[in-house]
Amino acid sequence: MTISPCSAELPGTFGEAMPFLCKGAVITLQATLGGSVLAIAIALPVGLMAMSHRGAVRAVARVYMEFFRGTSVLVQLFWLYYAMPILTGFQLDKSFAGILALGLNLGAYGSEVVRGAVRSVSRGQREAAIALNFSPYHRMRYVILPQAFIGMIPPMNNLLIELLKATSLLSVITVADLTYQGRLLVNSGSDQLIVFALLLLIYFLFSYLITLIMRFVEGRAARMVGRDGPQGRPRRAWRSPRPRRPVPSVEIPSVEIPSAETPSVEGAR
Amino acid sequence: MIRFDKVVKRFGDLTVLRELDFHVRPGERVTLIGPSGSGKTTILRLLMTLERVTSGTIDVDGQCLSHMKRGDRLVPADERHLRRIRKKIGMVFQQFNLFPNMNVLRNITEAPVRSLGVPREQAEEKARELLEMVGLADKALEHPSRLSGGQQQRVAIARALAMEPEVLLLDEVTSALDPELVSGVQDLLRDIAHRGDLTLLCVTHEMRFAKDISHRVLMFDQGRIVEDGPPEQIFSEPAHQRTREFLQAVLDA
Ligand SMILES: Nc1ncnc2c1ncn2[C@@H]1O[C@H](COP(=O)(O)OP(=O)(O)O)[C@@H](O)[C@H]1O
Ligand SMILES: [Mg+2]
């Protein structure tokens, strides 16, 4: 018989705690997901704006980035949830306020990541695109960004884990996330050691999950820019077999080009 | 076709081109030679609008590169003006600069499709013809990183030609290649040069190659032209001491 990890049938403190922690975990995941989507949606345009040749556009981006990096998420959260209704008479839903604060804050860091990755694409690539008469938009869209993408992934991975951890701040405005549920359980008499240990474990599993997802995305991206795979973009039209390794795997892959005319061994045929 | 008029280019305190004047007729093939640092690459980059002149003017086909007419005033060129001029010019780089996020075929078709609006099928057909011409018909779906340097450079040449430029700029296109791959690329360029009415500006240290393809050779030193003449004359009886020294140094290398 299998018992769900969220089941109340579990023995002792586990049975007491897990149903609540699971509920909280769902909220935590939702906040992480919402915050990530928002952060990425902000980071891309703002990161590009920070490199605009128009001073005013750059200034707007910089002000946003410096402001949200320079103030704490918690204080931003207080403003969005408690201060804004006083100023504007408009009360945000607390989960929404939480996601907004997380997205705005991590979006500011993400903008820096985007900017750094775009700048790291070699000048030769940009110049080749100019020489081929691409418009500035097409240069960015089809040449620079696809190559910059892979460089964004490891730092984005860190940011998303930061974001996951920062969701625990939402408990302060009584969003019923994982941390909130844990503290509630402890306050109502559950074994502290076990509950806090479960919190650690669940947060850790989630952050590990983020890392796994990002590694997968990174692998895909690497293959797209040919770092470790055979083909470029038109994957729909043509699927290549994975490069078959020679049987004794001692060969170094980069010595396979003896002369200019050698037909490809691993080609499509 | 191309006219440099008192062109000065400075990088900070360093003056790279000093009041340079020269012009190139349509269909003419000109090789630029001269010691490293004499400003040859800078000339090609100015033409490709990758750099801006400090002063002086460059005309391509009668159109000024850095300025355009608005009403009857001259104003700095905007992106649209630059793109009209770039349309006439293609460039092949020493380091190939193929796009690693696209396969070979896409490297060649992407620019015609995106910047000229050629339908993709038509662009692919043309690209396959070009690949045939450069001897890489079987590599269309390969990733650039799986080609040798010589093959990559030939793809880069096909990519530049796919835009049907009137002027082709070649900046030491065989310098980054292993010695045994140089002749393949040179043979290809010789074919292309002799086939058509392409105007060619070529920087190279391979004097044999320069002799084969060019109508005219310009010898540069310290941002000035020290000698200008047909290859037979420059290579066999250079008029200037500086040219003799340079040719000697290249031969010894
Ligand atoms: N972007 C740049 N910034 C500063 N100096 C540069 C730049 N580009 C070229 N130079 C300098 O200009 C001089 C001429 O360079 P270049 O045109 O590449 O010469 P060549 O191609 O004849 O070797 C060199 O001294 C080089 O260091
Ligand atoms: Mg050079």
Side-chain angles (χ1 to χ4, degrees), chain A residues 124-125 127-136 138-139 142-143 146-147 224-226 230-234 238 256-257 260-264 266 269, chain B residues 45 48 50 79 83 86-87 89 91 93 97-103 106 110-111 114-115 138-139 141-143 145-148 151 154 159 163 181:
Chain A
Q125 290 292 313
E127 293 183 343
I130 291 176
L132 288 163
N133 210 6
F134 281 95
S135 69
H138 285 158
R139 288 205 287 274
Y142 297 107
V143 177
Q147 295 181 52
M224 255 183 248
V225 293
Q231 92 278 22
R233 223 150 14 87
W238 176 76
E256 62 188 46
I257 309 153
E261 313 304 332
T262 315
S264 146
E266 290 102 344
R269 277 151 295 273
Chain B
R45 291 172 55 81
M48 197 65 256
L50 299 173
E79 184 72 21
R83 290 190 65 208
R86 283 179 199 143
K87 201 173 158 183
I89 307 177
M91 183 160 180
F93 300 84
N97 293 339
L98 293 182
F99 302 131
N101 55 318
M102 304 173 194
N103 68 17
R106 194 100 177 195
E110 201 67 3
R114 303 290 171 199
S115 34
D138 57 333
K139 302 288 189 207
L141 301 177
E142 286 286 354
H143 189 275
S145 65
R146 295 171 63 82
L147 305 183
S148 70
Q151 292 172 327
R154 282 186 275 157
R159 180 175 74 167
M163 293 295 282
L181 303 179

Side-chain angles (χ1 to χ4, degrees), chain B residues 15-243:
Chain B
T15 303
V16 177
L17 302 179
R18 301 159 200 271
E19 304 225 332
L20 187 64
D21 291 307
F22 73 93
H23 86 279
V24 176
R25 290 189 307 276
E28 195 173 23
R29 299 191 292 275
V30 177
T31 297
L32 316 181
I33 63 171
S36 171
S38 58
K40 307 175 302 292
T41 296
T42 303
I43 290 169
L44 301 193
R45 291 172 55 81
L46 284 168
L47 270 168
M48 197 65 256
T49 69
L50 299 173
E51 305 279 359
R52 281 169 181 274
V53 295
T54 307
S55 71
T57 53
I58 303 173
D59 288 347
V60 173
D61 229 1
Q63 277 182 304
C64 179
L65 220 61
S66 52
H67 289 76
M68 58 184 195
K69 275 216 176 80
R70 181 172 291 156
D72 41 29
R73 287 189 319 132
L74 277 182
V75 295
D78 62 11
E79 184 72 21
R80 271 189 47 205
H81 179 82
L82 290 178
R83 290 190 65 208
R84 258 202 307 277
I85 290 179
R86 283 179 199 143
K87 201 173 158 183
K88 302 173 202 259
I89 307 177
M91 183 160 180
V92 181
F93 300 84
Q94 189 174 343
Q95 298 296 340
F96 334 136
N97 293 339
L98 293 182
F99 302 131
N101 55 318
M102 304 173 194
N103 68 17
V104 165
L105 189 70
R106 194 100 177 195
N107 259 279
I108 301 174
T109 57
E110 201 67 3
V113 169
R114 303 290 171 199
S115 34
L116 300 180
V118 177
R120 186 167 293 279
E121 276 179 20
Q122 198 179 317
E124 284 187 3
E125 198 175 312
K126 173 88 185 289
R128 286 184 189 276
E129 280 169 24
L130 285 165
L131 280 172
E132 186 88 39
M133 181 185 88
V134 303
L136 296 171
D138 57 333
K139 302 288 189 207
L141 301 177
E142 286 286 354
H143 189 275
S145 65
R146 295 171 63 82
L147 305 183
S148 70
Q151 292 172 327
Q152 291 191 41
Q153 193 59 295
R154 282 186 275 157
V155 172
I157 291 166
R159 180 175 74 167
L161 292 177
M163 293 295 282
E164 305 191 339
E166 295 169 41
V167 181
L168 188 63
L169 311 175
L170 305 171
D171 190 9
E172 297 195 34
V173 294
T174 57
S175 302
L177 301 181
D178 291 337
E180 73 273 19
L181 303 179
V182 168
S183 66
V185 172
Q186 286 185 348
D187 290 344
L188 170 65
L189 288 170
R190 243 185 295 261
D191 281 355
I192 292 169
H194 291 296
R195 177 172 316 178
D197 37 30
L198 204 56
T199 306
L200 215 58
L201 254 74
C202 173
V203 175
T204 181
H205 290 298
E206 313 272 342
M207 296 306 150
R208 275 270 318 270
F209 176 65
K211 201 177 216 163
D212 289 348
I213 66 157
S214 44
H215 299 120
R216 221 171 109 204
V217 174
L218 301 181
M219 165 73 196
F220 282 84
D221 192 33
Q222 301 185 347
R224 287 202 186 86
I225 295 176
V226 293
E227 198 160 348
D228 173 354
E232 301 76 22
Q233 182 240 307
I234 297 231
F235 293 135
S236 51
E237 39 195 285
H240 288 259
Q241 181 60 25
R242 196 69 196 86
T243 315

